[in-house]
Amino acid sequence: MPNIKLDLKCANIGIDKILEYKGEVKEIDKRLRENPNNPKDFLGWLELPTNYDKEEFERIKKSAEKIQNDSEVFVSIGIGGSYLGARAVIDALTSSFYNYKKQKTPQMLYAGNSISPVYLNELIELIGDRDFSINVISKSGTTTEPAIAFRVFREILENKYGVDEARKRIYVTTDKSKGALKQLSEEEGYETFVVPDNIGGRYSVLTAVGLLPIAVAGINIDDLMQGAKYAQDKYMDSDLKYNECYQYAVARNILNKNLKDIELLVNYEPKLHYFTEWWKQLFGESEGKMGKGIFPAGVDFSTDLHSMGQYIQEGKRHLFETVINILETETDIPMKEEEDNLDGLNYLSGKTMDYVNKKAMEATIEAHVNGGVPNIVINVDRLDAKAVRTLNILL
């Protein structure tokens, strides 16, 4: 199973300081677990890796296989938690550049996350004459952005395939018993999946909301659930001394009390860009209430070192960083010696690009910490389905 390790030394927070919150954390943990399936509390995600609909899970896999066989493009229509979680996982675990001949799965496209006609028209143009299917994700069916996109793509499908065939290419993820989209699905006979009542949208990636598009993209959702189950077991311990998930929460709280009210999630791997976008929604929507909360932001390094880096290094000292460090890269490129050495990089010959990337990370952490920006580091063995889900639960 994935090895994910929290490192707080660059945040200058020792375990003794963390453990001062032991009693408070134990009480919070108790309240969290008293009734996780109460729909009013939206805590169903706590036990989701074990308490999920196994029959629906199998239907998701069958639908994904059908879509892979009859579609070259798959359009996920949703906003916020209805698409960010899935996109985070898909972008992290598939090629950055779509190649149908290599991937053998539909191209994943996203709609219903804005009201821009330019974006939607360009997306339609990109699909062109290719066969496609859609998945509209909305608990009510009346959220403006996905409702508009669904109208547009439903009409395109019906004009392209006829009403009967179009119905077979429309997949709906919505409320189990009520709402405009549920009513329409029953009338039209669409394949329908459920947004559980006790799970808020931004926590729903391990339901059909995220699992269907993730499975269509060719990612093993059994591995994803296995990683989530591992994380559930690992982070169920109410003892702060052994629970790194709670240690991370306490560290954030300590830093916030020290007037660090902006957290930057940092990655050194472009595949994690949408993981950061998802994280921003999870924290922003969850914590931003009653005039409180740490402001969640994100940077992609080393890219943003050449823009945001100046502010982080010498700007207002109200920041701290949480760095995701992927220890084992999937592929690498060796640095070779060149005779003219005009760029002065021959000192790197015999090294690899990943080595350079890691050294850039280490130097940046050191510089930022010395400049008054605490760093929390999360070390992850590798980027795979099990690790991605474990990492998300830790954060």
Side-chain angles (χ1 to χ4, degrees):
M1 293 306 296
N3 182 24
I4 296 178
K5 189 68 178 173
L6 185 69
D7 185 347
L8 294 172
K9 65 178 180 291
C10 291
N12 197 28
I13 301 174
I15 189 65
D16 290 344
K17 184 67 175 177
I18 294 285
L19 292 179
E20 289 178 12
Y21 292 79
K22 187 173 182 178
E24 186 177 348
V25 167
K26 187 174 285 289
E27 181 58 33
I28 292 170
D29 179 85
K30 180 181 176 182
R31 293 202 304 269
L32 274 174
R33 302 187 190 281
E34 281 176 350
N35 190 9
N37 293 312
N38 185 344
K40 294 181 181 179
D41 294 333
F42 295 101
L43 292 172
W45 52 269
L46 280 167
E47 299 180 353
L48 188 58
T50 49
N51 187 22
Y52 63 95
D53 187 332
K54 309 303 190 296
E55 183 276 330
E56 183 180 67
F57 190 82
E58 293 304 315
R59 281 201 300 120
I60 288 169
K61 291 195 283 188
K62 289 180 180 178
S63 292
E65 185 177 359
K66 176 183 178 298
I67 294 163
Q68 289 169 345
N69 288 331
D70 68 18
S71 300
E72 297 170 86
V73 176
F74 184 68
V75 183
S76 176
I77 300 174
I79 195 167
S82 296
Y83 93 102
L84 273 172
R87 185 164 191 178
V89 175
I90 291 167
D91 279 22
L93 300 179
T94 61
S95 173
S96 301
F97 305 99
Y98 179 73
N99 183 335
Y100 178 74
K101 291 182 179 179
K102 180 179 179 181
Q103 293 173 224
K104 303 296 184 183
T105 55
Q107 184 175 13
M108 307 298 295
L109 300 176
Y110 303 90
N113 47 47
S114 74
I115 317 177
S116 166
V118 175
Y119 175 91
L120 205 58
N121 276 320
E122 290 178 349
L123 192 151
I124 292 167
E125 183 179 0
L126 177 62
I127 295 172
D129 293 330
R130 291 183 292 171
D131 288 318
F132 74 101
S133 297
I134 67 172
N135 174 209
V136 56
I137 308 164
S138 175
K139 192 167 180 63
S140 66
T142 58
T143 305
T144 303
E145 294 89 344
I148 289 173
F150 179 45
R151 279 194 177 198
V152 171
F153 280 104
R154 181 186 177 193
E155 180 180 2
I156 293 172
L157 282 168
E158 290 178 349
N159 289 339
K160 181 180 178 70
Y161 297 105
V163 173
D164 289 341
E165 176 61 24
R167 289 190 182 110
K168 300 174 184 177
R169 292 177 173 273
I170 295 173
Y171 299 82
V172 173
T173 309
T174 190
D175 191 271
K176 66 178 179 181
S177 59
K178 62 182 185 297
L181 198 49
K182 175 63 176 176
Q183 180 181 338
L184 179 64
S185 299
E186 290 180 344
E187 292 172 358
E188 297 292 333
Y190 300 144
E191 184 74 41
T192 307
F193 302 98
V194 173
V195 182
D197 290 335
N198 63 342
I199 298 175
R202 60 191 179 277
Y203 301 105
S204 63
V205 69
L206 287 182
T207 72
V209 170
L211 292 177
L212 178 59
I214 289 169
V216 171
I219 295 165
N220 188 320
I221 60 174
D222 288 298
D223 282 351
L224 199 69
M225 295 302 286
Q226 189 178 353
K229 175 62 169 60
Y230 170 77
Q232 181 187 15
D233 294 340
K234 183 175 181 179
Y235 303 129
M236 281 285 283
D237 197 331
S238 63
D239 191 335
L240 181 58
K241 184 177 181 179
Y242 304 105
N243 191 324
E244 290 185 319
C245 179
Y246 285 159
Q247 290 175 19
Y248 170 62
V250 169
R252 296 177 77 248
N253 186 54
I254 292 170
L255 290 168
N256 193 27
K257 287 180 176 179
N258 290 331
L259 304 182
K260 303 295 185 181
D261 57 6
I262 296 176
E263 179 177 12
L264 297 175
L265 189 67
V266 180
N267 71 75
Y268 285 78
E269 172 51 64
K271 284 176 173 288
L272 290 175
H273 174 81
Y274 269 94
F275 187 92
T276 300
E277 293 302 303
W278 179 27
W279 173 88
K280 284 160 59 177
Q281 188 211 7
L282 288 169
F283 278 75
E285 197 173 344
S286 298
E287 292 190 346
K289 297 177 172 70
M290 298 181 291
K292 299 179 181 180
I294 297 170
F295 184 83
V299 285
D300 300 326
F301 284 166
S302 62
T303 303
D304 290 335
L305 280 175
H306 300 267
S307 54
M308 293 294 290
Q310 174 61 44
Y311 185 96
I312 298 167
Q313 186 66 47
E314 296 186 308
K316 190 174 179 180
R317 303 294 77 184
H318 57 164
L319 305 170
F320 71 95
E321 295 172 287
T322 296
V323 180
I324 301 174
N325 176 28
I326 308 299
L327 297 174
E328 298 176 15
T329 187
E330 183 181 354
T331 62
D332 211 343
I333 296 176
M335 304 295 293
K336 298 179 180 179
E337 186 170 350
E338 292 190 1
E339 185 175 347
D340 53 24
N341 193 32
L342 292 176
D343 55 16
L345 293 180
N346 272 356
Y347 73 96
L348 294 174
S349 63
K351 308 297 185 183
T352 67
M353 277 191 69
D354 183 59
Y355 172 86
V356 177
N357 200 27
K358 294 288 197 302
K359 288 302 177 182
M361 180 194 71
E362 292 168 9
T364 301
I365 291 173
E366 182 178 0
H368 288 180
V369 170
N370 290 340
V373 180
N375 271 237
I376 297 169
V377 181
I378 300 174
N379 295 304
V380 184
D381 273 356
R382 66 191 66 84
L383 202 55
D384 60 22
K386 296 174 184 177
V388 163
R389 192 52 199 155
T390 306
L391 176 62
N392 179 252
I393 291 177
L394 169 63
L395 290 169

